[in-house]
Amino acid sequence: MIGVIFLVLLALVWIIFASVQDLRKREVANWLNFSLIIFALGFRFFYSLFSGNFNFFAQGIFGLIIFFVIGNVLYYSKMFAGGDAKMMIALGTILGFSGNFFINLKIYFLFLFLFLFGGAVYGISATLYLSFKYRKNFKKDFVKKIKENKRLIFAIMAFGIIFIGVGFFQTPLLIFGILIFILPVFYVYVKTVDSACMVREIETHDLGEGEWLYKPLKVGNRIIKPTWEGLSKEEVNLIKKKYKFIKIKVGIAFLPVFLIAFLALWYLWETGLWNLFW
């Protein structure tokens, strides 16, 4: 139990530091995630060595492997940025609170559920904040997108109204109809936040590796295109030589969701309430 408490405290320090870095710079240094893996596995190894029970170390390895797969799936499906994926992998070395592998599997699933639920609430709250903060740009772009796509939007909403009408006799159809009715407006809302609230013009001397371009840039005979991985060091140097100002896309700092989910998981584990999920 002492070993688990130490790992939890270790993870909290690292997640808090990473969250602050993500909120300030919209990036998380690789050394931060990799050092958490090294410290966590190192502690598990020496704790197991002195206690004579290497199951404690083995559970950290199992968690690392499982979350390595999860982190890479989320990264290559473009749901996670690189720093988020690496933090997910690093936490795999921490979350094996139990000495039983099958109990740890339940803990992993519960953490992912808390993370996804917290992420949805956090993401919606963040977009609402951005749409209010940049309300002038948001309103202008939102109205423009509605006008450009009004025929398609009204057609989908009319389709939804039909299902709502039929749904008074079948509840599942009513819910489905409501979802269809709000879907086009919600889609336009998300696209507007993306284009009107998450684009910044910066001086290129502030440009760093991993930044996301807003649109392709021509440098000599080369076209530098926006990619999910962001700009390489070579591309940053090329851009700085030709441009003084460029537009980049900024993401929502997502590391605080890890902190929320981790604290919620530890509370449920300590109080025994986590058993209510099974």
Side-chain angles (χ1 to χ4, degrees):
M1 188 62 184
I2 295 176
V4 173
I5 292 174
F6 177 84
L7 287 173
V8 169
L9 294 175
L10 179 72
L12 283 176
V13 172
W14 256 249
I15 299 172
I16 290 171
F17 193 86
S19 297
V20 172
Q21 190 178 68
D22 197 22
L23 288 167
R24 291 182 61 189
K25 299 182 178 180
R26 294 297 188 274
E27 63 178 355
V28 180
N30 285 332
W31 69 264
L32 195 62
N33 295 316
F34 292 144
S35 63
L36 179 57
I37 295 174
I38 293 170
F39 278 117
L41 289 182
F43 174 77
R44 281 184 178 273
F45 176 79
F46 285 107
Y47 189 89
S48 297
L49 185 65
F50 288 111
S51 66
N53 179 14
F54 275 87
N55 184 47
F56 186 68
F57 176 69
Q59 296 304 325
I61 296 295
F62 293 149
L64 176 64
I65 294 170
I66 290 171
F67 277 82
F68 178 82
V69 174
I70 294 172
N72 276 278
V73 168
L74 292 172
Y75 175 74
Y76 286 108
S77 62
K78 298 185 178 180
M79 295 177 65
F80 267 15
D84 299 327
K86 290 166 188 171
M87 178 56 74
M88 180 68 78
I89 294 169
L91 285 180
T93 63
I94 302 291
L95 295 176
F97 298 154
S98 172
N100 186 302
F101 174 71
F102 295 102
I103 291 178
N104 284 333
L105 281 180
K106 294 180 179 180
I107 294 173
Y108 301 155
F109 280 117
L110 179 56
F111 175 77
L112 290 174
F113 169 78
L114 293 170
F115 181 84
L116 292 173
F117 179 77
V121 175
Y122 177 85
I124 292 172
S125 301
T127 58
L128 288 172
Y129 167 76
L130 288 171
S131 63
F132 178 76
K133 182 178 180 180
Y134 302 101
R135 51 190 175 275
K136 289 184 179 179
N137 291 339
F138 176 84
K139 182 179 178 180
K140 181 181 178 180
D141 201 27
F142 183 78
V143 172
K144 180 182 176 183
K145 283 183 169 58
I146 290 289
K147 289 180 178 179
E148 290 175 346
N149 301 279
K150 62 182 179 182
R151 290 185 179 179
L152 179 60
I153 292 172
F154 291 152
I156 295 174
M157 293 178 76
F159 192 59
I161 289 173
I162 294 173
F163 273 93
I164 291 173
V166 178
F168 281 108
F169 306 98
Q170 293 288 336
T171 303
L173 291 178
L174 176 63
I175 296 173
F176 184 64
I178 293 172
L179 290 175
I180 292 177
F181 184 80
I182 66 175
L183 180 62
V185 177
F186 181 73
Y187 177 77
V188 173
Y189 164 77
V190 172
K191 295 296 289 184
T192 304
V193 171
D194 185 61
S195 61
C197 306
M198 302 182 72
V199 177
R200 305 282 187 274
E201 184 174 65
I202 66 168
E203 293 185 57
T204 53
H205 69 73
D206 293 326
L207 188 65
E209 186 178 355
E211 299 277 16
W212 293 337
L213 281 181
Y214 176 58
K215 58 183 180 180
L217 294 176
K218 186 175 182 180
V219 180
N221 295 322
R222 181 175 177 179
I223 302 295
I224 300 177
K225 297 180 179 180
T227 64
W228 181 250
E229 292 80 12
L231 293 169
S232 67
K233 188 175 182 179
E234 178 191 0
E235 290 171 333
V236 169
N237 291 332
L238 288 173
I239 291 171
K240 285 182 176 180
K241 290 178 181 178
K242 182 171 181 179
Y243 296 92
K244 290 186 177 180
F245 295 89
I246 65 166
K247 288 185 177 181
I248 63 168
K249 287 187 67 175
V250 296
I252 296 173
F254 218 66
L255 258 296
V257 180
F258 284 91
L259 180 61
I260 294 168
F262 189 77
L263 288 172
L265 176 68
W266 179 244
Y267 172 77
L268 293 173
W269 171 259
E270 275 293 286
T271 58
L273 292 174
W274 77 284
N275 288 301
L276 297 176
F277 288 82
W278 310 103

